[in-house]
Amino acid sequence: MENIIIMSFNFVSVLFLQCFMATLAMTPTKLTTDQSALLAFKANVVYARSVLTYNWSISIPVCNWVGVSCGARHGRVTALNLPHMALGRSIPPHLGNLSFLVYLDLSNNYFSGSLPNQLGQLRRLRYINLNNNKLSGDFPSWIGSLSELTYLGFYNNTFTGTLPPSLFNLSKLEFMWSSYNSLEGNIPSAIGKLLNLKELFLRHNRLTGSIPSTIYNISLLRTLDLDSNNLSGSLPEDLCHHLPKLERLFLSSNGLTGQLPPSLGDCTELIDLLLPSNHFRGRIPANIGNLSGLLGLYLQDNNLQGEIPSGIGNLPNLLYINLDNNSLTGQIPHTIFNISTIRGINTNYNDLSGSLPSNIGWLPNLTDLFLAENKLGGTIPNSISNASQLTYLDLSSNSFSGLIPNTLGNLKFINVLNFQDNNLTADEEWDFLSSLTNCRELQVLNLGNNPLSGILPTSTGNFSTSLQKFDAPNCKLMGKVPSEIGNLHDLILLDLSYNDLNGSIPTTLERLWNLQGLFLQNSNLQGSIPYEVCQLKSLINLQLTDNKLTGLPNCLESLVSLRNLQLGSNKFTLCIPASIWNLRNILYVNLSSNSLTGSLPLDIQNLRVLIDLDFSRNQLSSEIPVTMGSLINLVTLSLAYNRFEGSIPNTFDILRSLESLDLSNNNLFGEIPKLLEALLYLKHFNVSHNKLEGEIPDK
């Protein structure tokens, strides 16, 4: 009995061994085609240290290679899943030999070139994802051969040409991602044959013509994204009756016209409605308040009129509403400010009127509130400070009046406060400004063109160092510029122009290392421009016109970033500091209406990129330097009302960009150079009240 058992065991062992050897003999034969195709693919990999370099080896079974999956029954490659692998070069035609392939994902690599026609042989393919590569060439016509395809991902490549007719043979297609390419031509009406389509993404292409009516026959469609094309025409009135499952409608930045479909309120599944930057007109449909699941409503940059439907305030899940730049009238429905989920409200650039509700601040999620450029009035409610998550608040260019609330310091996360162009006032102590020193993330404070009155408090220096822009022109400010303003080390722009300040420019400004714009014109300032201003190495724009300044520092050449120097209408005397001639990057210089004396040196030729030069109404004398002809970018030149002598330099004919030349009211003599006829762009030419002779050159 024992011998029988041993013999039986040996027989089974031998049989098993024979079967195993037979399997080993069969497997390489079955995998030869797949193995060759994948090795050819590997040969196109750019990244030498890719995991494929070592893992994809003939010493390892193909089905164990990274990113490769095989079918359990036949052992053939069914899936190639290689996203984000830093692969590159082109996709080889050999992939077309993976005849059992069902799933292909090569997204987010660096593949370039056109797709090989051989991919059309992958008749079992259901999923192809080539998103985020650099693939080019025409949209492949062989795509129509992939009759099992349900997902097509060509997003963010550079495919060109038109959508091929064969594409619409894909009766099982559910997802089409072809945004961010360069596809042209019309959307074919045959697209209506894709009855299983759920997601259609064709944004950021160059598609033209109208949206075909057949697209509204795809009743399963959830997303229609045609943003940023060149589409025209209008939307059908019954759009939502045909697309009952529509969740996202993205049609922004096209040339669509007509009225918004009155059936919009019937798209009850709608989550996002984006129709900005078109030419839609008429009213916003009143039934839009039926879209209870709506999260985003974007209708900005159109020609919409009428009132904002009050029903919008009934949208319980709304996160963002943007109606910017239309012609809407009436009041903003107060119910909008009762939507607890709301994060952003933008009604800028309309003709809205009325006031804000007293309970506006009970918006726990509101971060952005833009109501600028309307006709809103009344006071700013104190309750706005209860919107504790606010980061942007823009109420500019309205008719708000009364005190600026002194509770704004509760807005701990505020980045931008813009109150300019209103009728707002401040209390005597400017308590609102002191309150704002608690806002440690405040970057922009714009108070310009309000009758605030009073003295700028020293608490200005207690603002967070994150403040980058302090803008308070034409606010009826008095007193001195507080020296504490030098504490605002991150300040990029300081504008206190058109006020009734007194005293001198504080030397503490030298601590504003990042300052790019200093605007103190028309502010009644006195004394000299302090040497410390020359320490502002980042300064681009220095505007001090219309003050009572008397002294110019001889260190201006230190302002290496300066492009615009406006010092006109002050009380400067003596010679122009030599350091000015070393401002080699300066574009605009204005020293007009002072009492400057002396001559212009030959070094003026250093200002080679200069566009505008105004030295008029001074006491400059001697001859106009011939080197001024080197300023070939000059558009405007005024030396009027000085004491220049001699002739007009012949080198002026080189100033080919010149549009305005004013040399009037000097002591120039001799003939007007006929060479000035070469100045083809010259529109304004004034040499009156000199001692010149001859004819005025004819252009």
Side-chain angles (χ1 to χ4, degrees):
M1 181 70 177
E2 183 176 330
N3 290 335
I4 294 174
I5 293 174
I6 292 173
M7 289 177 63
S8 298
F9 177 79
N10 289 336
F11 175 78
V12 172
S13 298
V14 170
L15 183 62
F16 175 80
L17 183 60
Q18 289 176 337
C19 292
F20 179 72
M21 294 301 292
T23 302
L24 287 178
M26 290 173 61
T27 301
T29 302
K30 288 185 177 181
L31 294 179
T32 297
T33 301
D34 293 352
Q35 188 179 54
S36 298
L38 293 178
L39 289 175
F41 175 82
K42 174 187 172 182
N44 281 266
V45 174
V46 171
Y47 184 41
R49 295 185 179 179
S50 168
V51 66
L52 307 189
T53 306
Y54 304 105
N55 180 264
W56 283 27
S57 168
I58 57 174
S59 63
I60 301 174
V62 170
C63 297
N64 291 337
W65 288 4
V66 169
V68 175
S69 300
C70 297
R73 183 169 61 86
H74 45 65
R76 296 295 298 273
V77 174
T78 57
L80 191 57
N81 190 17
L82 298 171
H84 298 281
M85 298 290 284
L87 309 178
R89 295 186 185 172
S90 59
I91 296 176
H94 305 79
L95 285 188
N97 295 329
L98 299 175
S99 55
F100 280 76
L101 201 65
V102 174
Y103 184 98
L104 176 62
D105 188 349
L106 301 178
S107 61
N108 296 281
N109 284 291
Y110 299 99
F111 289 113
S112 59
S114 58
L115 292 175
N117 293 334
Q118 289 80 356
L119 293 184
Q121 300 168 186
L122 303 175
R123 302 303 171 87
R124 291 180 170 86
L125 202 63
R126 298 176 187 170
Y127 181 100
I128 180 170
N129 187 347
L130 303 176
N131 295 336
N132 296 307
N133 281 288
K134 299 178 181 179
L135 298 165
S136 59
D138 286 349
F139 195 102
S141 59
W142 50 256
I143 202 74
S145 302
L146 309 180
S147 58
E148 299 296 317
L149 204 63
T150 61
Y151 182 98
L152 172 60
F154 284 176
Y155 175 93
N156 195 23
N157 283 281
T158 56
F159 289 115
T160 56
T162 59
L163 294 172
S166 61
L167 171 66
F168 309 111
N169 296 331
L170 302 178
S171 60
K172 296 182 180 180
L173 194 64
E174 297 181 9
F175 304 92
M176 180 176 173
W177 293 68
S178 295
S179 298
Y180 294 94
N181 281 284
S182 298
L183 301 175
E184 301 173 337
N186 294 348
I187 302 174
S189 61
I191 197 170
K193 295 164 61 177
L194 303 179
L195 296 177
N196 287 305
L197 200 61
K198 298 176 181 176
E199 312 282 345
L200 176 60
F201 290 89
L202 288 170
R203 71 162 53 198
H204 278 274
N205 280 285
R206 300 173 183 173
L207 300 171
T208 56
S210 59
I211 302 172
S213 59
T214 54
I215 211 167
Y216 306 114
N217 295 332
I218 308 174
S219 60
L220 297 179
L221 203 61
R222 296 193 305 236
T223 298
L224 177 58
D225 186 350
L226 302 175
D227 272 1
S228 302
N229 281 283
N230 297 308
L231 299 170
S232 56
S234 59
L235 300 179
E237 291 187 0
D238 57 353
L239 180 147
C240 291
H241 298 161
H242 296 282
L243 301 176
K245 297 184 180 296
L246 195 64
E247 297 177 359
R248 299 173 184 86
L249 181 60
F250 301 145
L251 301 176
S252 64
S253 300
N254 281 286
L256 299 172
T257 57
Q259 297 191 357
L260 299 180
S263 64
L264 273 179
D266 298 326
C267 285
T268 55
E269 302 296 318
L270 210 58
I271 296 173
D272 288 304
L273 178 60
L274 279 77
L275 305 177
S277 302
N278 281 286
H279 305 293
F280 290 116
R281 54 183 171 77
R283 292 176 174 270
I284 301 172
N287 63 4
I288 208 165
N290 297 339
L291 305 177
S292 58
L294 200 64
L295 301 179
L297 176 61
Y298 298 86
L299 301 176
Q300 69 268 27
D301 298 310
N302 280 288
N303 299 312
L304 299 173
Q305 299 105 27
E307 297 184 354
I308 302 173
S310 60
I312 290 178
N314 299 326
L315 301 177
N317 299 301
L318 196 64
L319 299 178
Y320 298 98
I321 177 172
N322 193 334
L323 305 175
D324 179 27
N325 196 24
N326 280 284
S327 299
L328 299 170
T329 55
Q331 296 190 20
I332 302 173
H334 286 188
T335 52
I336 289 179
F337 301 107
N338 293 330
I339 304 175
S340 61
T341 57
I342 201 79
R343 296 179 185 174
I345 300 173
N346 188 340
T347 65
N348 285 350
Y349 298 97
N350 281 283
D351 292 310
L352 299 168
S353 57
S355 59
L356 298 179
S358 59
N359 63 341
I360 188 175
W362 304 111
L363 296 168
N365 297 297
L366 188 67
T367 59
D368 304 327
L369 180 58
F370 296 98
L371 306 178
E373 297 282 347
N374 281 284
K375 298 175 181 177
L376 301 171
T379 60
I380 300 175
N382 285 323
S383 63
I384 203 167
S385 302
N386 294 326
S388 58
Q389 300 300 311
L390 264 180
T391 57
Y392 292 88
L393 176 59
D394 189 350
L395 304 180
S396 62
S397 300
N398 280 287
S399 299
F400 289 111
S401 59
L403 295 174
I404 298 176
N406 59 12
T407 56
L408 294 175
N410 296 332
L411 303 177
K412 303 297 184 183
F413 304 106
I414 197 74
N415 295 145
V416 176
L417 272 176
N418 190 351
F419 293 147
Q420 74 173 17
D421 297 318
N422 280 286
N423 295 308
L424 297 168
T425 57
D427 58 31
E428 186 174 351
E429 302 298 326
W430 278 50
D431 288 336
F432 86 91
L433 201 66
S434 299
S435 170
L436 288 174
T437 60
N438 296 321
C439 303
R440 307 315 292 172
E441 298 186 22
L442 186 62
Q443 296 179 9
V444 175
L445 177 59
N446 197 334
L447 304 172
N449 299 314
N450 281 286
L452 298 177
S453 300
I455 297 174
L456 199 62
T458 58
S459 61
T460 303
N462 297 331
F463 278 121
S464 167
T465 54
S466 62
L467 191 67
Q468 297 179 8
K469 180 179 179 181
F470 184 37
D471 205 344
N474 193 27
C475 289
K476 297 186 177 180
L477 300 178
M478 298 178 289
K480 297 181 179 180
V481 179
S483 60
E484 289 80 3
I485 209 161
N487 298 337
L488 307 179
H489 298 156
D490 281 354
L491 208 61
I492 293 175
L493 182 144
L494 175 61
D495 189 348
L496 300 177
S497 59
Y498 296 94
N499 283 293
D500 192 21
L501 302 171
N502 56 48
S504 58
I505 299 172
T507 59
T508 54
L509 289 181
E510 70 173 335
R511 302 204 298 264
L512 305 182
W513 305 296
N514 297 310
L515 198 66
Q516 296 178 13
L518 178 58
F519 299 86
L520 296 173
Q521 66 267 32
N522 295 83
S523 293
N524 202 30
L525 295 171
Q526 304 167 9
S528 298
I529 299 175
Y531 168 84
E532 286 77 8
V533 168
C534 297
Q535 307 306 307
L536 303 177
K537 306 299 183 182
S538 299
L539 198 63
I540 295 173
N541 205 329
L542 178 59
Q543 302 222 11
L544 302 174
T545 56
D546 288 294
N547 281 289
K548 299 177 182 178
L549 299 171
T550 55
L552 280 167
N554 197 23
C555 58
L556 293 175
E557 63 185 359
S558 299
L559 300 176
V560 293
S561 300
L562 198 64
R563 299 293 185 273
N564 191 357
L565 179 63
Q566 301 291 324
L567 303 178
S569 299
N570 278 284
K571 296 184 177 182
F572 297 124
T573 58
L574 304 177
C575 296
I576 299 173
S579 60
I580 284 184
W581 315 125
N582 292 321
L583 295 173
R584 298 179 184 272
N585 297 312
I586 198 77
L587 298 176
Y588 306 94
V589 174
N590 186 342
L591 288 170
S592 66
S593 301
N594 282 285
S595 299
L596 296 166
T597 59
S599 61
L600 296 180
L602 296 176
D603 287 346
I604 198 172
Q605 67 183 336
N606 295 339
L607 312 183
R608 292 185 181 274
V609 297
L610 197 64
I611 293 174
D612 188 302
L613 178 62
D614 190 349
F615 285 158
S616 63
R617 298 182 184 277
N618 280 285
Q619 299 175 27
L620 300 172
S621 59
S622 192
E623 295 185 349
I624 299 173
V626 295
T627 55
M628 192 169 280
S630 300
L631 309 182
I632 59 174
N633 294 301
L634 268 182
V635 174
T636 302
L637 172 61
S638 181
L639 302 177
Y641 291 93
N642 277 286
R643 300 174 182 176
F644 288 111
E645 302 172 348
S647 59
I648 299 174
N650 287 328
T651 55
F652 270 31
D653 70 308
I654 305 174
L655 305 178
R656 300 298 174 88
S657 299
L658 207 60
E659 296 180 8
S660 178
L661 175 61
D662 192 345
L663 303 177
S664 63
N665 293 279
N666 280 286
N667 296 315
L668 301 173
F669 56 80
E671 291 191 356
I672 302 173
K674 190 172 180 59
L675 291 173
L676 294 182
E677 292 179 353
L679 305 182
L680 300 180
Y681 298 103
L682 195 63
K683 300 174 182 176
H684 175 79
F685 179 59
N686 190 351
V687 292
S688 62
H689 299 285
N690 280 286
K691 300 175 183 178
L692 296 166
E693 301 175 353
E695 297 181 357
I696 296 176
D698 185 5
K699 294 194 297 178

